[in-house]
């Protein structure tokens, strides 16, 4: 078995950012802090948003006054119309002004609600309960909306993440149960299952990222803890021959084998090449005699 080292990572990592731009005037948490859902993490200078809120409130007050006046005028026209003391055009004009005042008040109230939201957005609140794993801004810094301020590892599931060579994963399908051990304390273990295997090989390391979902990890397996798993590499039978044994039959590689005192050109497959040897995975059987240079015989053997 091969021991593979990895670390504990959150299953869900959410970046926390303001929804408006501004200058950070207060930072209330730091890396490693446990926070609750809705807890205030940082604040922006709210002066601009407070001014916008005051302006929106004044607009609502003005539109309310206009609506009250329009209601009085229209009520007067309603009383005068049946008696013939007003004209139809004056009545229709008062009615239109009333409808306009109502619409303008609704628009002003919507703007007031939006201004209240903008003011609330100057407080950055945690989107869920969890642990702050990274901080990206400091007090006094001017930030744009959606700029990450903190990374939040949400409470709940944890993953043990490993970078594994593809050859070790031939018999490790998704869903397979594995045991994860805490590095330094091998006796401390947690059961898990292979939750995800990245489909592409990392060009830098030549490995695949494997995420093992932990069912009930012990408290000692905190975020960032180093852990290990044991993987058994697949055992495959291979036949090793010198380069001089390799020939060609049509477009396929082949070797000469001895069958009943005659030589036959036999195709082979699954070839790998070394500096002075070839490794054949298919086409030959153990014990077959292969012709090499100078009419010598090479008895193919597994694992040579």
């Amino acid at each position: 078995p091969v021991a593979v080292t990895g670390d504990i990572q959150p299953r869900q990592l959410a970046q926390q950012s303001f929804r408006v731009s501004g200058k950070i005037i207060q930072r209330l948490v730091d890396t490693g802090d446990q926070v609750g859902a809705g807890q205030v993490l940082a604040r922006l200078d709210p002066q601009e948003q407070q001014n916008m809120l005051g302006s929106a409130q004044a607009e609502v007050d003005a539109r309310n006054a206009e609506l009250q006046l329009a209601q009085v005028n229209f009520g007067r026209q309603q009383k005068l119309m049946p008696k013939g003391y007003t004209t139809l055009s004056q009545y229709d004009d008062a009615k239109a002004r009333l409808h306009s005042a109502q619409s303008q008040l609704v628009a002003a109230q919507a703007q007031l609600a939006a201004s209240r939201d903008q003011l609330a957005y100057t407080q950055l609140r945690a989107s869920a309960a969890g642990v702050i794993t990274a901080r990206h801004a400091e007090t006094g810094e001017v930030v744009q909306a959606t700029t990450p301020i903190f990374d939040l590892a949400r409470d709940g599931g944890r993953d043990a993440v490993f970078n594994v060579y593809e050859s070790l994963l031939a018999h490790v399908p998704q869903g397979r149960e594995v045991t994860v051990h805490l590095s330094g304390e091998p006796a401390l273990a947690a059961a898990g299952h292979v939750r995800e295997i990245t489909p592409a090989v990392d060009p830098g390391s030549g490995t695949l990222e494997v995420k093992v979902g932990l069912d009930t990890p012990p408290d000692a397996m905190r975020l960032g803890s180093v852990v290990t798993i044991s993987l058994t590499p697949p055992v495959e039978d291979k036949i090793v021959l010198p380069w001089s044994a390799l020939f060609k039959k049509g477009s396929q590689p082949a070797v000469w084998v001895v069958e009943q005192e005659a030589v036959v050109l036999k195709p082979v497959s699954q070839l790998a090449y070394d500096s002075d040897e070839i490794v054949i995975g298919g086409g030959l059987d153990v014990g077959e005699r292969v012709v090499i240079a100078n009419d010598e015989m090479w008895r193919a053997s597994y694992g040579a």
Side-chain angles (χ1 to χ4, degrees):
V2 177
V4 181
T5 302
D7 63 342
I8 302 296
Q9 297 183 14
R11 187 167 300 175
Q12 291 183 317
L13 188 66
Q15 291 186 325
Q16 307 296 293
S17 56
F18 287 103
R19 298 175 66 173
V20 294
S21 303
K23 179 180 179 180
I24 300 177
I25 61 172
Q26 192 175 22
R27 178 173 56 79
L28 302 174
V29 296
D30 206 345
T31 303
D33 289 349
Q34 180 78 37
V35 299
Q39 180 178 335
V40 178
L41 309 179
R43 290 189 176 94
L44 295 176
D45 184 352
Q47 188 60 53
E48 180 181 352
Q49 286 74 21
Q50 288 174 343
N51 292 340
M52 292 173 59
L53 180 61
S55 177
Q57 183 62 62
E59 183 69 14
V60 169
D61 293 341
R63 296 305 177 187
N64 259 321
E66 290 180 0
L67 177 60
Q68 292 175 6
L69 180 59
Q71 288 173 333
V72 171
N73 289 335
F74 182 65
R76 184 181 298 113
Q77 292 294 323
Q78 282 182 311
K79 292 179 180 179
L80 295 176
M81 189 66 184
K83 301 177 181 179
Y85 294 151
T86 186
T87 64
L88 182 59
S89 62
Q90 290 176 319
Y91 175 85
D92 290 340
D93 181 65
K95 185 176 181 181
R97 288 179 182 275
L98 175 60
H99 290 166
S100 176
Q102 291 171 335
S103 299
Q104 290 177 356
L105 177 60
V106 170
Q109 289 172 334
Q111 185 59 48
L112 177 62
S115 297
R116 289 195 180 109
D117 289 340
Q118 292 293 305
L119 181 59
Y121 294 155
T122 61
Q123 296 189 28
L124 177 59
R125 295 181 179 273
S127 60
V131 177
I132 300 296
T133 59
R135 183 185 73 247
H136 303 293
E138 295 293 343
T139 302
E141 187 174 343
V142 176
V143 296
Q144 300 298 315
T146 72
T147 299
I149 308 300
F150 299 102
D151 288 347
L152 174 66
R154 296 181 178 179
D155 285 344
R158 298 179 190 171
D159 287 336
V161 181
F162 304 89
N163 291 317
V164 182
Y165 288 105
E166 189 175 11
S167 60
L168 293 175
L169 296 176
H171 302 294
V172 186
Q174 290 194 30
R176 172 180 166 178
E177 294 184 357
V178 295
T179 301
V180 178
H181 298 270
L182 186 65
S183 182
E185 295 185 52
L188 195 58
H193 61 279
V194 178
R195 189 175 67 82
E196 180 181 325
I197 300 176
T198 56
V201 176
D202 184 282
S205 63
T207 59
L208 297 172
E209 186 178 76
V210 178
K211 294 182 179 180
V212 176
L214 301 180
D215 301 329
T216 54
D219 293 337
M221 287 189 181
R222 296 182 291 271
L223 295 177
S225 297
V226 179
V227 291
T228 61
I229 57 172
S230 294
L231 297 176
T232 302
V235 178
E236 297 182 1
D237 293 332
K238 300 292 184 182
I239 297 174
V240 181
L241 296 173
W243 268 95
S244 58
L246 185 62
F247 289 85
K248 195 173 185 181
K249 185 175 183 179
S251 60
Q252 291 185 330
V255 296
W256 290 99
V257 297
V258 178
E259 294 184 0
Q260 298 179 353
E261 303 305 324
V263 290
V264 178
L265 193 58
K266 190 173 184 180
V268 292
S269 60
Q270 302 177 32
L271 270 66
Y273 305 94
D274 202 351
S275 58
D276 56 356
E277 294 176 329
I278 57 172
V279 181
I280 298 174
L284 289 178
D285 297 323
V286 175
E288 284 191 295
R289 293 185 297 170
V290 179
V291 178
I292 60 173
N294 300 324
D295 294 331
E296 295 178 6
M297 297 296 174
W298 179 276
R299 187 172 296 275
S301 60
Y302 284 97

